[in-house]
Amino acid sequence: MSPSDFDHAAGCLPDECFRTPPDLGIMLGSGWGDALAMDECLVRVPYADIPLLGRATVPGHAGELIVYMREGKRIVAWCGRRHWYEGAGWESVVLPVEILRRMGAEKLLVTNAAGGINPALKAGDFVAVKDHINIVGLNPLIGSHHVEWGSRFPDMTEVYSRPLIEKLHACANRLDLRMMDGVYAFTAGPCYETPAEVRAYKQQGADVVGMSTVPEAVFAHACGIKVAAVSLVSNLAAGIGHAPLSHQEVIDAAECAKPRMRSLIDGFVARL
Ligand code: HPA
């Protein structure tokens, strides 16, 4: 991957997208595209019209880029993400972050649905990601080095910005939402984990497990963008809960949490 791989996609977006740097970039997973409170919508582009993103292969991740205003702040929201397991390579996964970097974004909020490992977690809880474990070692920065994307060996001591995590907690407290800090374990998917894997991740210190977020967060952090990530516990991880896991359950949980996710995002935007 190199920055020039994204030139064509960037060139297909309306000029308005690059007119002024956004106050926040948002990467929304799991069908939360309509969990945005907008005062004015400036740009809408379906992913199908953006080279490298194309059509979604996963239900619930349809995809639309929205640039909008909320309380005087300019927000760029990527509604729907591409995953490594879709097999299209890293370009489609990190393109939203690369475009945000080109727009001059300095902050990114990432949302995801994840399986709860920590026994204190219940389905429907939120977790402010304080750190991650890249279980599989997959990394979009593997390959030739490009100075635009930061250091060859980026420091990962604080991928998730503490001040932004505090903002998430302030919003959750205000809204009376259950939210704890947690460590997100990133797996390649698309299989859910085995119970033995979940036990192993728990011993390693993971609180939740999922198939996204970490590549985008690593890439953004390396580029100097401050990152916050919030997980919705859509289900208890394999072997913690008793029922077999299904994507439908994840979609249903995300749908059920949508009003709370919307308030959380809106509160976060208000605190920027
Ligand atoms: N495991 C991995 N990814 C997930 C899960 C899970 O239990 N729930 C939602 N995404």
Side-chain angles (χ1 to χ4, degrees), residues 193-208:
E193 302 67 42
T194 66
E197 286 167 341
V198 169
R199 284 195 298 276
Y201 302 164
K202 184 177 177 192
Q203 280 193 347
Q204 290 177 18
D207 298 295
V208 288

Side-chain angles (χ1 to χ4, degrees), residues 56-79:
T57 66
V58 188
H61 287 271
E64 192 178 26
L65 165 64
I66 302 180
V67 183
Y68 69 96
M69 298 299 296
R70 177 65 172 168
E71 293 179 356
K73 285 156 196 151
R74 185 181 172 95
I75 316 290
V76 174
W78 295 90
C79 308

Side-chain angles (χ1 to χ4, degrees), residues 118 126-130 162 165-166 169 179-183 207:
N118 185 315
F126 290 97
V127 173
V129 178
K130 66 174 178 186
R162 198 66 232 174
I165 291 174
E166 295 309 332
H169 280 295
M179 178 186 282
M180 63 178 253
D181 274 2
V183 173
D207 298 295

Side-chain angles (χ1 to χ4, degrees), residues 113-116 184 187 191-193 209-211 232 234-238 245 250:
Y184 180 100
T187 67
C191 305
Y192 290 108
E193 302 67 42
V209 58
M211 306 174 196
L232 167 76
S234 53
N235 56 280
L236 299 183
L245 307 190
V250 173

Side-chain angles (χ1 to χ4, degrees), residues 71-249:
E71 293 179 356
K73 285 156 196 151
R74 185 181 172 95
I75 316 290
V76 174
W78 295 90
C79 308
R81 60 158 57 86
R82 300 292 178 255
H83 306 79
W84 172 255
Y85 62 71
E86 291 174 73
W90 283 124
E91 286 86 352
S92 56
V93 178
V94 301
L95 177 135
V97 184
E98 169 62 2
I99 299 287
L100 285 171
R101 183 186 74 78
R102 293 177 184 215
M103 291 172 171
E106 293 180 350
K107 297 189 191 99
L108 170 66
L109 173 66
V110 184
T111 72
N112 62 60
I117 296 180
N118 185 315
L121 289 170
K122 296 188 300 198
D125 286 354
F126 290 97
V127 173
V129 178
K130 66 174 178 186
D131 205 346
H132 68 238
I133 305 173
N134 186 345
I135 303 274
V136 282
L138 290 170
N139 191 320
L141 296 172
I142 291 173
S144 52
H145 177 234
H146 301 278
V147 284
E148 295 94 319
W149 294 342
S151 161
R152 169 77 287 193
F153 304 106
D155 173 68
M156 293 282 135
T157 308
E158 191 179 305
V159 177
Y160 305 92
S161 152
R162 198 66 232 174
L164 293 186
I165 291 174
E166 295 309 332
K167 287 190 202 300
L168 283 173
H169 280 295
C171 303
N173 284 343
R174 179 74 194 271
L175 296 164
D176 212 14
L177 303 179
R178 275 171 56 96
M179 178 186 282
M180 63 178 253
D181 274 2
V183 173
Y184 180 100
F186 166 59
T187 67
C191 305
Y192 290 108
E193 302 67 42
T194 66
E197 286 167 341
V198 169
R199 284 195 298 276
Y201 302 164
K202 184 177 177 192
Q203 280 193 347
Q204 290 177 18
D207 298 295
V208 288
V209 58
M211 306 174 196
S212 70
T213 300
V214 167
E216 297 101 307
V218 162
F219 190 84
H221 180 66
C223 294
I225 298 173
K226 296 208 178 318
V227 181
V230 61
S231 298
L232 167 76
V233 178
S234 53
N235 56 280
L236 299 183
I240 307 244
H242 299 295
L245 307 190
S246 77
H247 185 54
Q248 193 55 48
E249 179 186 12

